[in-house]
Every structure is written in structure tokens, then in C-alpha cells.
Amino acid sequence: MTAGTGEQRERDRGFDHTEVEPKWQRTWDEEDVFRIPDDAEDPEYVLAMFPYTSGELHMGHVRNYTITDAYARFERLRGESVLHPMGWDSFGLPAENAAEDRDTNPRDWTMKCIDSMTEQFKSMGFGYDWEREVTTCDPDYYRWNQWLFKRFRDEDLVERQGAELNWCPSCETVLADEQVEEGPGGAEICWRCDTPIDHREMDQWFFTITDYAEELLDCLDDLEGWPNNVREMQRNWIGRQEGASVAFEIPGHGDVDIFTTRLDTIYGATYFSLAPGHPVAQAIAEENDEVAEYIQEAEHADEDELDVTSGVFTGEYAVNPATGEEIPVYVADYVLTDVGTGALYAVPAHDERDHEFAEAHDIDIVQVVEPAEDADVDPEDVDVQEAAYPEDGVLVDSGEFDGLTSEEAREKFVEEFDGEHRTEYNLRDWGISRQRYWGTPIPMIHCEECGHVEVPDEDLPVELPEFVHTTGNPLDAAEEWKSVECPDCGGPAERETDTMDTFVDSSWYFLRFLSPDLDSAPFDSERAGDWMPVDQYVGGIEHAVMHLLYARFFTKVLDDIDLVDGIREPFTNLTNQGMVLGADGNKMSKSKGNGVSPQRIVDEYGADTARLFIMEAAQPEKEFAWSPEGVRSAYQFLQSVHGLAEEVAEGESETGDADGEDPVAGYVDREIAATTARATEEFEAFRFNHALQAVRDLVSLLRRYHERDGADADTVERGVRTVAKLLGPVAPHVGEEVWALLDGEGLLAEAEWPEADLPADYDVASRLVENTREDVRDIVETVGIEDPETITLAVAPEWKHRAHEFARDSDADNLVGALMGRDEIQRHGSDAADFAKDLQAEREALGEVLAPDEERAALERAAWLIAEEFEADVVVHSAADADDDLAGNAQPGRPAIRIE
RNA sequence: GCGAGGGUAGCCAAGCCUGGAAACGGCGGCGGACUCAAGAUCCGCUCCCGUAGGGGUCCAAGGGUUCAAAUCCCUUCCCUCGCACCA
């Protein structure tokens, strides 16, 4: 930074953030402003997704945490108890990698990161109850992962399954399905390191989240405080399919269950297809080399390597229970082992993939459904030999069932062919085993004699041993730690060396915040019943499926084992904050060099500037680009507010017209009230940028008024105090500073939010004023009046207002007639007739207007703005005071204007 | 392909649910005030025409409902995101 630049000088005149910000941070801390006592009743629970302990706060974090901090502060000012805690998602592979790179161990590295991040959080002025800090890698935390694992096991929600699993060769661990992403060319890659994954057959610990699939899906409909896209992503992920299963006999191999959503097409089944992984396919392979070869090929092929129509005839035939016919059995790669039952009957006439396959293998195509009468397709135009007809319709060629609709047939056939209704889900059980060190040890022991034995509760936590540098899993290398006595038989046994997926940690951390030090249970159940669910949860969209689904699952289980009282969803309202892009509009990245470090901005401009800029830039869900001009503008605005406060504080507190009759002060007063109302509404709706815009407008007005001769000092001071409060949630340090300058009572952080009622007729009056100002400008401009001296405004006469009101309420067919039938109007002769016609023309669109005297008062309050703008005298007349020429032009809500 | 969300002035973007003013803001541009000047700040203007507040044309395109449509309904086109050999 160059000393002596214009900006530097500017800064010397205003407040110095490097001094002001730490001062207030210390004060809040000393005063315990953000503490929430355990006996608080149903506080507002405001939560941001806790950060992974990378050691560095980036812009995304700053945005995330500014949003929750602003909202928490806002709610606190409104008199709510607010729970706004922070913790550390501190287990995970990056710590191990960092330890390897730096010749240290994951614990020390993580703790250092936490220290440094805590500093950064504090320098941003985020108001957390640090007494409730939670750290997942602390044995006092993860012992409860272990305890919960055992309770889940009591409920039969833990299973040991052998399965083919996703293995990341770089991370040397398995990954959950949710942690596998699609890379270039359709390859499956690791979500962390983008390494293409392998598949390995391993024994793993699973949480049987599928037991909750139905509820997890159904409850999404009621999560109205969640964004639609997140709910939709979860619906997709859970993937419910309603269908039926029916058995087909393959002689020599018994009954094979199929799953279908189109049981109505069963008469059109012309072949049968097994997934390569299906047990019957495997059995056939043992005697059939061609099948064995194909299976081998299919299992090792990468995506896209096999043709979509690839498959092999097995030589076997399945019996169609509907027709009694024998249809050929194929093994085909397009049938997936883990979808449905891994077996299906194929109906080429009514399924596009089956059609394609049938054409390639020269299999019959038999139509059994045709368009219903009310369909937009003519049955004549359907040629299933050409293309499949996959829509529902009416059955044909289906024996005695011809004429049934598809829907009726699906229902009927379940009974008819001895099948059953069945619901399939895409969701798989949650494999939580990870072959890594830096995680929660799974509290199990393997005994040769007794098998899998739990570690007794009194031996929890199973703590991690010293970290050793090794290839593979350090827990495997920790021989001494590994070897234990079997709790059941006392014989020699070995500890489980897998640790838990770190998503276990984050599935209930929001509950630990309620009672972080409790050592008899993971959390205080009674308090959970009162304080949960989280009212506002803010975090990134990347957790739409994994974290948010797991946390929902945990919450439901915890309720079912009576640890929480009737709370079945953890997060009532969810907001996904948008991305902060680089100034060039691209995602911030090292390679593009467009990143902005929060620390640099805080050093240079202060936390308040960063916070204000971020909150002004866009609504929380929207992305926005970093803008140096925007940052500077935020900084200057804060300086300007502070400057105004200083001037107000220094000025002699003379009161202009102390009697409160000054119409200009009245105007400013109404604007103060209106801004408060507007800002309050916008804060509530999470549209901070709109609230801040209103505050900026008010500050401009206050400055303008303050600089005016005879301005009422009380009014200005009241205005600036209001600004301090409205700005406080977003720019808390400057807010406190301004508050203190004006001798505010106590701390701003603990002050009371201002009353927020919109002044009477505010909207109508301000529209009147705006329109009138625009009209004056329009006239001056169009006519080209060089230097106006007097601007006269005249309000419309009473009778026009009455006529207007009458027209608004009237539903008379002939409005002109109805109006002219009224004596008070009719006696104004042709003026009345003309006006009545005008009213008739726009009768349906007539807006609300003020009464004549209110209209006049509103114009008088605002006259100073016009006077200043044109450096002219402004006179406001009632209809009676104005000369007839002028008054005649006036309409309700539209005063007559004369400019001389 | 299925699903969700979108398309608003030169650019970004509010409004749409709950129909009623060429349509909030911001950026950029233009004019003015302040200044020796520049910057910053403040006040205006920024679809077209207009010497008294007027007229014309507007919210992806087309159609419909209505006294009245950016807003409601239908059709088409385009964009973004999620899911997908899902039986």
C-alpha cells in the first residue's frame, strides 16, 4: 500500500478500521453478547454449515458466515434469543495428506488450522457463542459417533455387507456412491481428487438408510422452507419406482423375479433379459462358455465400450406366465444388476431400449397396447415395427384383457399372475467404512471365536493411536493399539481398523451445539425437543444430497430411539448461498489468478467493508462477481455514515422548530420510519441487498437535510441512530462506533430494533411526490425553461376527490350518468362532465388518492426537494387559494403545476 | 429422455405467487452542482418523438383470457442445473 495516496488521506480523516474493529470485537467478547444461556426458551437457531479445517477462510466462507451472522444479529436486536454457534468439521483425508507433506501429524496440523481459522473468524466480527464450539476430531465429540453407532446397531440399522465398492486408489479408501462423480468421458471419479475409481469387493459397515427411504422421500414435500432444486435432487437420488414383480420360470433354474413398472405390457414380452451380475446369469455361465465370456467382458468394460445392444443368447427359455409361451433368455449389459431385481422381461413394442435390442438380435416385436381414443395419436399411425410406443393406452392382443386401460391392467395383472406390488429405490445403504486414519474409529472388535463384538460403552471412546507415516492405513500398522482382549470371551482379538466416513460427524453436530460439554449423552434430549429444529440453515449447494440427506436420516433415527422428542426434520429453512465469482465473472481459481483473499480485503478496508460489499452485491442465493469498485463504494459509504455521525455529534444540539410543525422535518421523519419498515421486511425475507439499498437512500436524504439551513438536529440524530441500527447486522463495527458517537445506551449489538410501521398513506404520498417531481422536471425540460423562479402547485378541489372516490367504489353501468346525478358534482357544469368522462375512461384502474388536505400536506413536506433542485420558490395551494385557471387543471393525485 | 429453475432496456438485475403508471436498483454512458483542475461526492437524464406534465412502441416468440397482462393460461424456441442404459 502506498502511503499518501488520495485514498490514504481520505482514510486518515475517517475512522480507522484497524483500530475500531478489534476494539468492538473485544468488547462483545467481554460483555458475552453472543452467549446464550442453557435455560433460554426456544431460541431462534441460526446455523451455517461448519467449515472443514483447511486453515484458510475463502470468500465462499465469508459470504456464508456473513449471511448467518447478519441474520442472527438482526434477530437478536429484535429481542429473540439466538443460538448461533460454530464448530469444526475436522476429520478427513486432507489432514493426513498435509501431515505427510509437512512431516507432522493430522492432529497437530488440524489444531493449527483451527487456531488460525478462529483468528480469521474473529477478525470478521462474526458473533458466535464460542462456549459452544464443537470439534469433531476431539475424542469428546467422536466418542458419541461411536456411541450412536452402537445405538444404531441396537436398532438393526448397522449391517456388515460384502459388496462391490467404489475404491479410490489415490485416497486408498472406499467411497460412498454419493462421493463418486462423473468425470470427462463418463468415467467415475473421486469427488475429492478426481482420480478414476476402481471397484473392489470388500466387507464394510453400512448404515441401512434404505429403511428410511420412503420417509426421507415423502417428507421432502413438506419441507417448504427448502429450495426446490435441493428437494428435487434428493428425490432423484432416492429415486422411487412404483411397480410390480412377477416370477418367470426358467426351467432348470427355477423362478426368476422380475421388476417392472409396465406390467400391462406382459403379453408383449418376446424375450427375457438378465443382468451380467444376476445369480442365474452366473449359474448359466458355468456351463456356457459364450455367456461366461460375455459376462467377463461386460464386467471389465468401461462405460461406452460395449454397444447398447450388446448381449448374448443363453440357450435357455423362460415361460411367460401370461401367455404360457417360451421366450428366449439373454444376458445383456443394459440390464443393471442393482436396478430392480436385475432381471426383466422385454417388450420391444413398448420400450425403446428393448426395441433397439430386438432389432439388433432379430427378435419378434408384438404390439399389445394401442393409443386410447382420447390420445392425440391415431392408432393407425402407430407402427411398433418402426419404433416403440411407450405411452399408456388400451390393451390389444392380450387375451381376455383386451380393452382394459394400461392402468387397469397393471392393477389386475398383479393378482392374475401371482405377482406383488413393489416399490424400488435408487438409494443404497450408506457404507461408512473408510480405510483411513483421521476419522472416528469404528467401535468393533473382531474375535476369532465370537465374531464381531462391540466395544463396551464404558470403554468408549476408542481413541486414535499415535499417527505413523506409512503407506496404507496407519491403523493397520498400529499393532499395539490393534490387539485387544475380546470383551466377550477374553481371548485375543483385533480392533476394527476402519474409521467412519466424516459425514457421520456432520450428521448430528447441530445437536451437539445444544449441550457441547455433556458427558452422559451426545446431547441434551429435553433441550433438543425445545431448541430444535434449526430455523435457518445456510450453506453450499454441494451438500444438497450427501450431508443434508444423512442429517435428515440421523434426525429420524434419533427421534425413533427417543433421543429427540418428535423432531423428524433437522432444518426448517435452508438457503444455499451462491458463488462469489472472480472480477472477470469466472469461478475464482488459482490457475486463473482471479482469486481474492478475504484477509487482504480485511487488512485493507476492514471486515465491515467486506461484509457490506458481499451483502449488497446480490441476494444470498445468487452468484455475483467480485468488484473492486463495489468494495470501494462500500468502504466510502461506511466512511460517509461515520462522518455524518461525527458531524451530528459535534454540532450544537440546537433544535430547529422545536414545536414539530416543520414540514421538512416531517418529511424526513416519515422517510426514517418508512426505511425502517422496508429494511425490516427485507431482512426477514433474506433480501439483505434490498434492505441496504433503502438504508443508503436514507443516508443520502439525511445528509442532504443535515446540510440544509435550519435542519432539525433531533431529527437528523434520530435518523443516524436508525441507520446505525439498520446497518448494525451487516456492518457491526461501524454500527457500534456510530452508536457510541451518538451516546447510544449500551451496545448496539444489544440494542432494540426500531419500531417498523409504515407511516400512514406512505405509498400513496410518496408516489404523489415522485410523480409531481417528475412532472416538474418534464415540463422544465420539454419547454426549456432556463431558470424557473416560482413553481406553484395546486391541489384539486374537494368535489373532484369525491367524484374520484365515488367512481372507485361505483359499479354503475353508466358512470357519467351516476356522477352527474349527484348534485355536488353536477353543479360544476361542463368541468364536471369532462372530469366524469375521464373517470369513466379509466374507472377500473383508478388508484387510491389522498384527501385534499392530506395531499396538500404531503406536497408541502416535499416542496423543499423541488425548491433545492430548481433553486426556485415553491408554493403549494389548496384549490380555494389557487386561481381558477390553475386549479381547474388539477386532479386528485395530480396537482396542477405552474412554472414561471 | 425425465425433472427443476430461467429468458426483463447496452450489461447485471428487481417485479411475476396476490393483473392496474415505460417497469426498483446497480454498472456503463450523458448533463449539471462542488472544485484552479482531476478524483471522490451530490442532483438529474439514459426505448423513440415532443416548446406545459403529451404521444408512440415495449418485458424470448406466437396465440388466448380480461375493461386491463412482464404478471394468469396454451404453444414454440433458447439457456442453466440435477438425474439417467432405472426396467
Side-chain angles (χ1 to χ4, degrees):
Chain A
M1 210 190 323
T2 323
T5 61
E7 217 166 78
Q8 181 68 43
R9 263 181 276 119
E10 175 82 24
R11 218 170 296 170
D12 290 344
R13 284 204 297 272
F15 66 89
D16 176 2
H17 63 267
T18 59
E19 187 192 312
V20 165
E21 294 188 345
K23 176 179 76 185
W24 291 112
Q25 287 156 17
R26 272 196 309 276
T27 309
W28 295 326
D29 202 28
E30 283 158 13
E31 301 291 321
D32 282 340
V33 170
F34 306 112
R35 290 287 312 284
I36 174 163
D38 286 341
D39 58 8
E41 263 182 50
D42 191 22
E44 182 83 4
Y45 193 168
V46 182
L47 187 65
M49 291 181 186
F50 67 165
Y52 175 70
T53 46
S54 63
E56 240 173 84
L57 211 59
H58 54 69
M59 273 305 165
H61 288 127
V62 172
R63 187 173 192 196
N64 194 164
Y65 302 140
T66 300
I67 292 165
T68 49
D69 191 51
Y71 189 73
R73 285 174 180 269
F74 167 67
E75 286 293 327
R76 198 173 290 113
L77 291 192
R78 295 222 292 173
E80 281 278 336
S81 305
V82 174
L83 172 60
H84 185 224
M86 186 41 73
W88 311 105
D89 184 18
S90 50
F91 266 144
L93 194 53
E96 281 181 73
N97 295 337
E100 292 291 348
D101 291 348
R102 283 155 235 240
D103 196 32
T104 171
N105 64 75
R107 168 169 302 279
D108 291 348
W109 184 79
T110 301
M111 290 305 162
K112 235 172 72 186
C113 287
I114 291 177
D115 285 348
S116 123
M117 288 177 88
T118 305
E119 277 314 299
Q120 296 171 63
F121 272 82
K122 290 190 170 168
S123 76
M124 286 303 303
F126 297 142
Y128 299 118
D129 181 352
W130 285 109
E131 304 269 322
R132 293 180 184 277
E133 181 175 359
V134 156
T135 306
T136 57
C137 67
D138 185 335
D140 283 340
Y141 185 87
Y142 69 69
R143 67 179 291 195
W144 298 111
N145 284 345
Q146 296 171 342
W147 186 88
L148 288 167
F149 176 92
K150 293 183 61 186
R151 299 296 84 79
F152 277 41
R153 201 158 177 267
D154 295 342
E155 298 298 309
D156 276 336
L157 290 167
V158 176
E159 267 182 18
R160 185 100 176 137
Q161 300 175 9
E164 186 177 277
L165 294 160
N166 312 305
W167 175 266
C168 173
S170 166
C171 301
E172 297 185 309
T173 184
V174 300
L175 302 171
D177 286 346
E178 292 87 335
Q179 293 165 342
V180 177
E181 291 177 351
E182 196 172 318
E188 295 181 310
I189 58 171
C190 170
W191 69 313
R192 274 207 188 283
C193 63
D194 292 351
T195 308
I197 59 149
D198 294 342
H199 294 277
R200 284 200 181 181
E201 184 79 24
M202 297 180 86
D203 272 357
Q204 293 274 295
W205 294 103
F206 284 82
F207 285 149
T208 54
I209 189 171
T210 51
D211 293 353
Y212 283 80
E214 188 180 357
E215 199 196 337
L216 286 167
L217 185 71
D218 290 342
C219 292
L220 286 169
D221 294 341
D222 299 323
L223 283 178
E224 278 160 22
W226 281 38
N228 278 335
N229 63 330
V230 174
R231 293 198 281 173
E232 194 58 28
M233 283 163 81
Q234 294 211 352
R235 280 191 200 105
N236 280 335
W237 187 258
I238 296 168
R240 176 157 61 193
Q241 292 267 357
E242 306 275 5
S245 72
V246 175
F248 275 57
E249 195 200 347
I250 302 179
H253 295 278
D255 281 350
V256 179
D257 266 343
I258 59 89
F259 174 74
T260 181
T261 55
R262 290 300 303 275
L263 193 55
D264 55 313
T265 62
I266 191 167
Y267 278 86
T270 51
Y271 69 95
F272 192 91
S273 209
L274 294 164
H278 194 282
V280 172
Q282 305 270 337
I284 294 171
E286 287 185 12
E287 298 140 23
N288 184 326
D289 289 346
E290 214 184 324
V291 173
E293 203 176 299
Y294 178 75
I295 291 176
Q296 177 77 8
E297 201 185 333
E299 277 176 352
H300 292 274
D302 280 344
E303 201 94 3
D304 297 339
E305 221 169 290
L306 278 179
D307 199 82
V308 285
T309 58
S310 87
V312 62
F313 177 49
T314 59
E316 306 286 334
Y317 289 85
V319 181
N320 184 337
T323 60
E325 279 171 21
E326 294 199 330
I327 53 176
V329 175
Y330 285 76
V331 173
D333 186 51
Y334 83 86
V335 183
L336 306 178
T337 309
D338 57 0
V339 173
T341 58
L344 53 83
Y345 66 75
V347 186
H350 303 293
D351 181 279
E352 277 160 20
R353 282 157 326 182
D354 295 348
H355 193 274
E356 212 177 336
F357 190 91
E359 280 188 325
H361 294 263
D362 211 14
I363 301 169
D364 287 349
I365 298 169
V366 177
Q367 179 171 14
V368 292
V369 173
E370 64 176 32
E373 269 179 39
D374 58 354
D376 2 327
V377 188
D378 186 339
E380 296 293 311
D381 295 340
V382 172
D383 178 2
V384 297
Q385 302 303 323
E386 276 307 308
Y389 180 74
E391 311 296 322
D392 274 7
V394 177
L395 266 60
V396 293
D397 265 337
S398 296
E400 59 188 291
F401 302 104
D402 285 2
L404 288 183
T405 65
S406 290
E407 210 178 322
E408 289 162 352
R410 282 196 286 269
E411 196 55 39
K412 185 141 192 118
F413 287 0
V414 170
E415 248 174 77
E416 201 67 33
F417 305 122
D418 208 18
E420 58 180 29
H421 288 287
R422 194 153 145 175
T423 306
E424 286 283 322
Y425 294 92
N426 181 48
L427 183 70
R428 304 285 126 198
D429 283 334
W430 175 16
I432 60 158
S433 294
R434 296 291 179 276
Q435 292 68 44
R436 300 304 324 168
Y437 169 81
W438 195 229
T440 305
I442 294 174
M444 297 298 293
I445 288 166
H446 302 285
C447 170
E448 293 268 329
E449 296 296 316
C450 316
H452 295 292
V453 181
E454 292 183 348
V455 174
D457 279 357
E458 58 271 24
D459 292 343
L460 298 183
V462 177
E463 286 199 47
L464 287 166
E466 283 288 295
F467 179 72
V468 287
H469 293 265
T470 169
T471 56
N473 183 352
L475 290 185
D476 244 344
E479 294 297 340
E480 212 173 300
W481 175 85
K482 225 164 76 170
S483 127
V484 284
E485 270 182 16
C486 170
D488 278 5
C489 69
E494 282 199 345
R495 285 193 190 283
E496 169 65 64
T497 57
D498 286 352
T499 51
M500 295 183 199
D501 182 1
T502 56
F503 278 113
V504 174
D505 311 348
S506 53
S507 292
W508 66 281
Y509 77 107
F510 43 89
L511 286 157
R512 186 67 181 168
F513 284 132
L514 310 187
S515 46
D517 302 319
L518 191 67
D519 61 6
S520 56
F523 54 88
D524 186 314
S525 290
E526 204 178 312
R527 199 170 302 150
D530 187 34
W531 289 17
M532 285 289 288
V534 174
D535 295 288
Q536 289 289 348
Y537 197 35
V538 182
I541 185 70
E542 64 274 19
H543 292 114
V545 174
M546 292 185 270
H547 161 57
L548 290 170
L549 190 64
Y550 296 146
R552 294 181 60 220
F553 163 59
F554 257 61
T555 304
K556 291 177 193 304
V557 175
L558 293 173
D559 184 34
D560 286 339
I561 60 180
D562 293 327
L563 283 175
V564 293
D565 182 18
I567 308 285
R568 295 202 74 79
E569 287 290 342
F571 314 120
T572 305
N573 293 294
L574 174 71
T575 301
N576 295 120
Q577 88 272 11
M579 238 191 301
V580 183
L581 304 172
D584 57 1
N586 292 307
K587 208 170 159 174
M588 285 192 188
S589 77
K590 273 176 220 133
S591 57
K592 286 209 182 74
N594 60 352
V596 181
S597 132
Q599 199 55 50
R600 230 198 63 217
I601 300 301
V602 172
D603 289 345
E604 194 169 345
Y605 295 102
D608 278 355
T609 295
R611 295 169 59 127
L612 178 62
F613 165 64
I614 283 174
M615 296 296 262
E616 279 184 325
Q619 295 177 27
E621 317 75 69
K622 306 274 168 126
E623 63 179 24
F624 69 87
W626 188 261
S627 138
E629 299 83 39
V631 175
R632 231 166 294 134
S633 156
Y635 178 78
Q636 275 148 4
F637 173 68
L638 291 175
Q639 286 291 1
S640 147
V641 171
H642 184 268
L644 181 60
E646 267 182 329
E647 285 168 34
V648 169
E650 283 161 13
E652 298 117 63
S653 70
E654 59 176 79
T655 356
D657 290 339
D659 54 8
E661 290 294 306
D662 176 14
V664 182
Y667 180 87
V668 176
D669 250 342
R670 285 168 61 93
E671 290 300 318
I672 293 170
T675 303
T676 306
R678 172 97 193 277
T680 305
E681 201 185 349
E682 300 291 359
F683 268 121
E684 279 171 353
F686 257 55
R687 288 186 300 246
F688 305 98
N689 55 333
H690 293 179
L692 293 164
Q693 183 55 48
V695 175
R696 275 196 186 241
D697 290 347
L698 178 60
V699 170
S700 290
L701 179 73
L702 289 172
R703 184 159 275 292
R704 191 164 172 184
Y705 178 62
H706 173 67
E707 278 159 12
R708 189 182 146 84
D709 286 340
D712 176 53
D714 281 352
T715 302
V716 178
E717 184 169 331
R718 193 161 51 247
V720 179
R721 274 172 195 265
T722 304
V723 167
K725 285 183 176 177
L726 301 183
L727 212 48
V730 176
H733 309 89
V734 175
E736 290 287 2
E737 197 66 19
V738 168
W739 189 246
L741 273 172
L742 300 180
D743 298 320
E745 201 179 314
L747 286 170
L748 177 67
E750 295 177 315
E752 223 174 281
W753 193 252
E755 246 339 283
D757 288 327
L758 209 55
D761 297 319
Y762 177 80
D763 287 332
V764 182
S766 52
R767 177 170 286 189
L768 167 74
V769 167
E770 272 319 305
N771 284 346
T772 306
R773 293 178 68 192
E774 272 167 31
D775 283 346
V776 172
R777 278 176 211 131
D778 205 15
I779 294 166
V780 169
E781 169 78 21
T782 314
V783 180
I785 302 169
E786 283 291 318
D787 194 10
E789 278 174 19
T790 308
I791 297 168
T792 312
L793 306 176
V795 172
E798 181 78 30
W799 70 267
K800 282 190 178 175
H801 280 83
R802 293 211 185 172
H804 184 102
E805 282 311 307
F806 180 84
R808 255 166 68 81
D809 298 340
S810 165
D811 51 6
D813 287 338
N814 178 358
L815 181 61
V816 175
L819 281 166
M820 295 310 281
R822 292 170 70 87
D823 189 47
E824 53 167 352
I825 293 164
Q826 196 257 327
R827 68 191 160 89
H828 294 278
S830 64
D831 283 352
D834 290 345
F835 188 55
K837 273 182 224 152
D838 290 348
L839 289 173
Q840 163 77 45
E842 31 176 357
R843 62 184 298 187
E844 300 293 344
L846 291 175
E848 197 183 335
V849 292
L850 298 174
D853 50 337
E854 284 167 12
E855 190 169 307
R856 186 177 168 195
L859 291 170
E860 269 171 353
R861 284 195 299 265
W864 66 291
L865 292 167
I866 300 172
E868 284 192 358
E869 185 174 337
F870 296 96
E871 291 175 6
D873 292 331
V874 175
V875 186
V876 182
H877 284 313
S878 67
D881 297 344
D883 57 67
D884 292 346
D885 252 16
L886 184 61
N889 286 334
Q891 289 172 25
R894 193 158 188 268
I897 299 169
R898 179 185 294 147
I899 302 170
E900 291 155 318

